[in-house]
Amino acid sequence: FLTRPPGAPDGPVPMVLMPHGGPIGVHDTGLFDDTVQLLAKAGYGVLQVNFRGSSGRGGAFLDAGRGEWGGAMQRDLEDAVAWANAEGHGTAGRWCAVGASYGAYASMLALANDPAMFACGVGEVGLYDLTTWEESADVGRFRRAREAVGQSLGDVDRAAISPIRRVDDIQDPVLLHAGALDQRTPPTQTTAFAEALRGQGVAVDLKVYDGERHGLYALENRRDRATRLLTFLR
């Protein structure tokens, strides 16, 4: 789904790649999305991609995403960015990757894989170190959840596909948000990632929201997040 800023003339605009969370069995739709509209009204184009593993396109498409964290699912995002540039919507160096949960994971890998394409990245309630995530998150406490995560990740080297192990490849400034009470992606995932990035000289803007869990729900926090996001992008 490509959303262009209202009234923008034909040609490239500053673009946001916004991978969805999940990742397996979740998909973006053409329905109203407050973040997409916030960004479009502020002058940014937004690209949402139902990469392999997304639901709504049959079992074979969904199954094609299993075991492809950091692999084919990530390449689908990269292919979509290349398509948008070829169609004249964006240009290299004027993209920002913005995502929450798995979308934050994919956004940080995008910065590591192609720093010349992106100018910045935003991760919200993200998971960045797969070697510790399954042990510390609530998914580790329930058998069915553990099985679902195992099927999604497959038999891969968790360290090799963790953004925290790729911080030396990330050059662009990063904005990070986390919920202090988040049990799905504990805030230690975000704070440890921020510390690793800063150790490599990356500019990091970090905020952990008190009282929030896996997402921001209090109105004052949602307003603060929107303001911080737009300020960062500008």
Side-chain angles (χ1 to χ4, degrees), residues 3 9 17 34-35 63 70 90 92 98 108 124 162 172 175-176 179 194 208 217:
T3 304
L17 171 68
D34 56 358
T35 298
D63 288 339
V98 178
M108 296 304 112
E124 302 181 353
S162 292
D172 305 308
L175 173 66
L176 298 174
V208 178
Y217 297 95

Side-chain angles (χ1 to χ4, degrees), residues 139-215:
V139 295
R141 298 198 295 268
F142 303 99
R143 180 179 58 82
R144 288 187 178 181
R146 290 197 305 272
E147 291 173 350
V149 169
Q151 292 175 1
S152 179
L153 277 166
D155 185 18
V156 298
D157 182 346
R158 305 302 202 247
I161 61 170
S162 292
I164 200 168
R165 306 301 177 94
R166 298 286 306 280
V167 292
D168 55 342
D169 295 320
I170 297 176
Q171 304 170 10
D172 305 308
V174 171
L175 173 66
L176 298 174
H177 295 151
L181 303 179
D182 191 352
Q183 297 184 58
R184 181 58 44 84
T185 55
T188 51
Q189 287 279 313
T190 297
T191 54
F193 184 55
E195 183 178 352
L197 287 169
R198 287 168 175 158
Q200 294 295 320
V202 177
V204 179
D205 187 350
L206 165 66
K207 182 163 184 177
V208 178
Y209 288 90
D210 292 337
E212 295 285 13
R213 297 183 183 273
H214 195 57

Side-chain angles (χ1 to χ4, degrees), residues 55-94:
S55 56
R57 282 153 183 79
F61 189 84
L62 187 148
D63 288 339
R66 300 193 189 281
E68 293 298 337
W69 288 49
M73 290 196 298
Q74 197 69 27
R75 291 192 293 275
D76 288 344
L77 295 172
E78 295 165 359
D79 288 347
V81 169
W83 168 84
N85 288 343
E87 293 292 312
H89 299 295
T91 54
R94 297 197 74 201

